[in-house]
Amino acid sequence: MSSRNRLHIPLLSLALVVALAATACGGGSSAADVPPGAIAVVKGKEVSKAQFDQLIAQARKSATTNKQEFPAVGTPEYEAAKTKIVQGLVEQKEWELEGESMGLKVTDEEVETRLDQLKQQFFQGDQKKYEDELERQGLTDQQVRAELRSRVLSDKIYKAVTKAVKVTDADIDAYYKKNAAQYAQPSSREVRHILVKTQAQGAKIYRQIKGGAGFATLAKKFTLDEASKADGGKFTAFKGRTVAPFDKFVFDAETGDLSKPIKTEFGWHVIEVISAVKPETTTPLADVKDSIRTTLLQQKQNQAMRTWIANLKKKYGDEVSYAPGYAPAASTDTGTGTTTG
């Protein structure tokens, strides 16, 4: 992987847990329950200050590497970054605890396999390139392995939570009917046109074509429509998708008709109709059934995860204690994020 294509290791799955979870993290038990050296305790499991400090240091080094200014301690920007990291660490611990209660385990072999895949994907399996990139970003191999362990656990939780999600034929049929317009293709016609700025120029081009000049040759030389210029002004016009004067001529004309200059908001068009009208069509359900199933399955899986996360927040809401200065401000946000498996 080149130095510009950096290895992006989210802060302990913050990309997953923070994006998904509700941000209402206030409340919990007394700060007296948090021992020295920890910033929070989640149902008896500590979140160490050393872990927090490591992530702050990593974020600071990453900002420096990217020639960005890391916010100074005490500023609102720093507090926002600090809150995000604390939330991520606490939520990470909640996911770990819930994974245990679900009987989910992550083996060292699974982590090693994921790490090998990462090295192959970004570094062509070159250990030295991998280590150099970690140093450049202020990461350690231990951090990467912890992140990958978290990702494997997240994948297993996602699979467990969504395994019962099903999409029925009735669901697909209802979606197809509700989105019927999406599968309708209006009538169409092959045309050529030349777009110019003035009526006089359009009239001159019209006379040249009537006199035997090649339409495509003139279009490549004069048309202002860059989209069709390379094809000699040729394109497929769909009824109702072009400006009204253009649309009217195209779908009222006979095949082979050539228009005198027609004015639209874009300029003056000389249009030649070169095919019969192709009737409107509707894509059959059978042709899109699989894609609809995929769409609906993803939607249902995302909803299952949102419900699971909302329940997780409720379950651990009174089980989190923060050290002084680390408790995020209370929020009424209920979270609307989604995930992918």
Side-chain angles (χ1 to χ4, degrees), residues 13 35 47 62 73 82 86 109 167 179 187 238 240 247 252 256 270 300 307 325 327 332:
S13 287
V47 177
S62 179
V73 175
K82 172 183 169 184
V86 172
E109 289 76 16
V167 175
N179 297 277
S187 55
F238 290 93
D247 193 80
D252 286 350
V270 176
K300 288 191 172 189
T307 299
T332 58

Side-chain angles (χ1 to χ4, degrees), residues 45 94-107 110 149-163 305 308:
K45 287 205 171 189
E94 293 173 352
W95 282 54
E96 290 174 2
L97 285 165
E98 200 62 14
E100 289 177 9
S101 73
M102 296 166 71
L104 302 176
K105 299 182 184 299
V106 178
T107 67
E110 289 173 317
R149 183 175 294 275
S150 172
R151 291 186 186 182
V152 173
L153 176 61
S154 297
D155 289 346
K156 290 188 174 189
I157 290 175
Y158 183 91
K159 185 176 181 179
V161 171
T162 62
K163 67 180 180 181
M305 282 303 300
W308 182 84

Side-chain angles (χ1 to χ4, degrees), residues 78-95:
Y78 177 85
E79 289 302 314
K82 172 183 169 184
T83 295
K84 185 176 181 180
I85 291 174
V86 172
Q87 285 179 327
L89 290 170
V90 167
E91 290 157 1
Q92 175 76 23
K93 200 65 67 175
E94 293 173 352
W95 282 54

Side-chain angles (χ1 to χ4, degrees), residues 250-310:
V250 167
F251 290 96
D252 286 350
E254 299 293 332
T255 302
D257 282 357
L258 178 71
S259 76
K260 291 183 178 180
I262 294 174
K263 190 177 189 318
T264 74
E265 61 194 83
F266 301 106
W268 293 85
H269 306 257
V270 176
I271 308 166
E272 182 181 27
V273 177
I274 57 177
S275 79
V277 175
K278 182 179 178 180
E280 64 178 286
T281 60
T282 299
T283 304
L285 174 59
D287 290 355
V288 292
K289 189 171 185 177
D290 288 345
S291 65
I292 293 176
R293 186 183 300 278
T294 298
T295 297
L296 292 178
L297 182 62
Q298 186 69 73
Q299 290 176 355
K300 288 191 172 189
Q301 287 172 333
N302 289 343
Q303 184 56 54
M305 282 303 300
R306 284 194 292 268
T307 299
W308 182 84
I309 289 167

Side-chain angles (χ1 to χ4, degrees), residues 173-283:
D173 188 60
Y175 181 93
Y176 180 77
K177 290 177 179 177
K178 182 178 180 181
N179 297 277
Q182 178 181 331
Y183 303 106
Q185 189 75 286
S187 55
S188 63
R189 204 164 196 184
E190 297 301 311
V191 301
R192 289 190 293 212
H193 85 126
I194 298 172
L195 173 64
V196 292
K197 289 184 178 180
T198 68
Q199 183 178 19
Q201 187 180 11
K204 181 178 179 180
I205 288 172
Y206 171 79
R207 290 193 298 269
Q208 287 177 314
I209 295 171
K210 293 293 281 186
F215 195 108
T217 300
L218 292 174
K220 289 177 181 179
K221 185 175 181 180
F222 294 110
T223 189
L224 300 177
D225 179 18
E226 294 297 331
S228 65
K229 187 170 189 173
D231 290 325
K234 183 179 178 181
F235 75 102
T236 302
F238 290 93
K239 190 172 181 61
R241 294 184 184 175
T242 56
V243 286
F246 192 107
D247 193 80
K248 178 172 175 53
F249 173 79
V250 167
F251 290 96
D252 286 350
E254 299 293 332
T255 302
D257 282 357
L258 178 71
S259 76
K260 291 183 178 180
I262 294 174
K263 190 177 189 318
T264 74
E265 61 194 83
F266 301 106
W268 293 85
H269 306 257
V270 176
I271 308 166
E272 182 181 27
V273 177
I274 57 177
S275 79
V277 175
K278 182 179 178 180
E280 64 178 286
T281 60
T282 299
T283 304

